[in-house]
Amino acid sequence: MSNPAALIVDDERDIRELLSITLGRMGLHVDTAGDVSNARQMLAETKYALCFTDMRLPDGSGQEIIELIAAKYPETPVAMITAHGNVDAAVTALKAGAFDFVSKPIDIGMLRRLVQTALRLAEEKKAEPAGAASSRMLGDSPAIKELRITIEKLARSQAPVYISGESGVGKELVARLIHEQGPRASGPFVPVNCGAIPSELMESEFFGHKRGSFTGAQSDKDGLFQTASGGTLFLDEVAELPIHMQVKLLRVIQEKAVRPIGGRAEVPVDVRILSATHKNLGKLVEANHFRQDLYYRINVIELRVPPLRERREDIPKLAARVLERLAGSGEPLARLTPEALSALLAYAFPGNVRELENVLERAVALCENNTITPQDLRLLSVSSGGEKNVDAMEDEAEAGATDNDLDSYISNLEREAIMKALQETRYNKTAAAKKLGITFRAMRYKLKKLGID
């Protein structure tokens, strides 16, 4: 049989016929079953490219079908058919291994998109080499190996994933890898920092607006959900969403549709939601700062990204990659002395991978002869538990005001000197660096540090 086969499990004849006609027109061979018993037998006899199952069946539940497929036929994507508004059942199905769900009454357009996604997913599973993972997730520690395996598994689903972890651990990278290794890879990946959008503009940014719907709306505008349709929307710092937007976001997730400001009709959107925050979302729920119902919708699966101090053995490889990137084309590669590498390995990195990058960028700018010493790293006095040394904290408290004034004064002098050199060299950074008697690398670091564009 050349055409891929699909299995429809539903005790309603009308639903079976509707799905059979729709999938048949998409070139699939369709088998149907009215109960769990027949579905089990068909799954044992035929290899299916995808399966749809109703939630309630005469002799059991669709949950049994999902669990059976997850255990015995993991190469077959399965979607749950749920009653309208029964999102709790959909969440349970996603946790059990379903890749998505469709609500009654069934929207044919949404169904077709879901089938296309499922078929891509099945094809990718066939072609996927064992243990495939992106080379951008560097490291050989047990923690990072486990994370890579989990990312590959989650990429095959359409379930919402909540990515937790401290600032700087790479939560957006994890979200991108989930997107890129899944069936939505050809669609857009749209990251949004929820804390960076003014509250009064949030609804327009997320859902779009129609021309004339408010002062300044001079033309129609698609929101982030429409922009991400067919792909993935990554809600970074989701804890920063105000309550009124949490309510609206919950409805979009449940209905899979948005209503632009000033619009009369809802617009269907096919988006996978990934979210992240460095805050403890569970505690925010307890404090009534985050809606519990939304928390359960976006936290179908939680993925914790380990801090750098839990995978110290990855630091040499991460440092080497950062130094390669900082060298640029044609510039010599800076190297760490054994003592500098030991200092990095002993440091707790409260800012995680982002802090490692900043530390090395500063060290490259300050080091002599492309050799980085412990002094060039200028690490804070931090214990292995991630807390500052008490003496260092007292010293900082005593000298804080003076240091701030001095830093500001020095920064102003540096800015004036750099701006003068840039103007005299017609903004040629290489020539300006030579005029100032510093390396191009140091010039690049100072421009970034001082915010000079």
Side-chain angles (χ1 to χ4, degrees), residues 231-367:
T232 303
L233 180 63
F234 174 52
L235 303 176
D236 198 9
E237 298 304 338
V238 69
E240 304 303 321
L241 284 174
I243 292 295
H244 79 277
M245 277 302 299
Q246 293 178 29
V247 175
K248 294 179 182 294
L249 178 61
L250 175 64
R251 188 176 186 283
V252 171
I253 293 173
Q254 293 180 168
E255 302 298 328
K256 296 187 176 181
V258 299
R259 186 191 296 273
I261 297 175
R264 295 184 178 181
E266 291 194 329
V267 180
V269 288
D270 173 26
V271 171
R272 185 181 189 183
I273 301 290
L274 304 178
S275 58
T277 181
H278 69 280
K279 295 183 177 180
N280 188 321
L281 213 50
K283 287 188 176 179
L284 292 178
V285 170
E286 292 176 3
N288 294 321
H289 293 152
F290 198 87
R291 289 182 64 96
Q292 187 176 53
D293 46 8
L294 178 60
Y295 175 64
Y296 287 137
R297 299 300 180 262
I298 64 174
N299 191 20
V300 172
I301 300 170
E302 181 171 351
L303 177 60
R304 177 180 178 269
V305 184
L308 190 53
R309 62 182 172 275
E310 290 182 12
R311 55 183 190 108
R312 294 177 189 273
E313 55 266 59
D314 294 334
I315 289 176
K317 185 173 284 190
L318 288 166
R321 175 64 65 86
V322 173
L323 292 175
E324 287 175 10
R325 178 172 55 80
L326 290 174
S329 58
E331 294 186 54
L333 186 69
R335 66 176 186 86
L336 292 160
T337 64
E339 295 79 13
L341 181 57
S342 295
L344 289 177
L345 290 169
Y347 184 59
F349 284 104
N352 295 291
V353 178
R354 187 183 297 130
E355 184 182 6
L356 173 63
E357 293 173 342
N358 291 339
V359 164
L360 291 175
E361 185 173 5
R362 180 177 62 216
V364 165
L366 298 175
C367 72

Side-chain angles (χ1 to χ4, degrees), residues 203-204 207-214 217 219-222 226 248 251 258-267:
E203 191 170 350
S204 171
F207 311 134
H209 62 250
K210 294 295 183 180
R211 179 181 178 183
S213 55
F214 56 85
S219 61
D220 290 357
K221 176 191 172 184
D222 283 344
Q226 293 100 312
K248 294 179 182 294
R251 188 176 186 283
V258 299
R259 186 191 296 273
I261 297 175
R264 295 184 178 181
E266 291 194 329
V267 180

Side-chain angles (χ1 to χ4, degrees), residues 16-243:
R16 293 200 303 267
E17 289 183 355
L18 173 65
L19 293 179
S20 296
I21 293 170
T22 303
L23 272 58
R25 288 175 177 171
M26 297 181 72
L28 280 78
H29 171 84
V30 181
D31 290 335
T32 64
D35 52 38
V36 174
S37 178
N38 282 326
R40 285 180 181 274
Q41 184 177 345
M42 290 179 175
L43 285 165
E45 295 173 352
T46 305
K47 187 173 183 179
Y48 291 103
L50 72 157
C51 173
F52 285 90
T53 179
D54 193 16
M55 181 176 61
R56 295 181 179 179
L57 297 166
D59 59 343
S61 70
Q63 193 74 11
E64 294 177 52
I65 303 293
I66 292 170
E67 292 171 0
L68 172 66
I69 289 175
K72 289 190 174 183
Y73 316 105
E75 71 282 356
T76 301
V78 55
M80 173 72 86
I81 304 170
T82 68
H84 179 71
N86 195 342
V87 182
D88 288 335
V91 169
T92 303
L94 291 169
K95 286 184 176 179
F99 84 96
D100 210 337
F101 68 95
V102 57
S103 299
K104 298 177 183 177
I106 294 173
D107 181 292
I108 298 300
M110 184 68 72
L111 176 65
R112 289 196 185 102
R113 289 191 292 271
L114 192 150
V115 170
Q116 290 165 353
T117 300
L119 293 176
R120 285 201 307 269
L121 178 59
E123 285 301 313
E124 288 180 6
K125 284 184 181 180
K126 291 178 185 176
E128 183 182 74
S134 172
S135 60
R136 284 182 293 156
M137 182 63 68
L138 287 179
D140 299 309
S141 63
I144 213 67
K145 285 180 179 178
E146 183 179 347
L147 180 61
R148 276 198 290 260
I149 291 170
T150 306
I151 287 172
E152 289 178 17
K153 290 179 180 177
L154 295 182
R156 300 167 187 165
S157 169
Q158 297 300 293
V161 177
Y162 167 57
I163 304 167
S164 63
E166 299 173 6
S167 292
V169 293
K171 295 187 287 295
E172 182 172 338
L173 172 59
V174 168
R176 284 184 183 276
L177 294 179
I178 292 174
H179 169 77
E180 291 171 5
Q181 295 180 41
R184 294 177 176 269
S186 59
F189 176 84
V190 180
V192 53
N193 186 327
C194 297
I197 304 175
S199 178
E200 63 274 13
L201 298 179
M202 273 195 173
E203 191 170 350
S204 171
E205 287 295 313
F206 275 98
F207 311 134
H209 62 250
K210 294 295 183 180
R211 179 181 178 183
S213 55
F214 56 85
T215 304
Q218 299 178 351
S219 61
D220 290 357
K221 176 191 172 184
D222 283 344
L224 292 166
F225 273 90
Q226 293 100 312
T227 303
S229 197
T232 303
L233 180 63
F234 174 52
L235 303 176
D236 198 9
E237 298 304 338
V238 69
E240 304 303 321
L241 284 174
I243 292 295

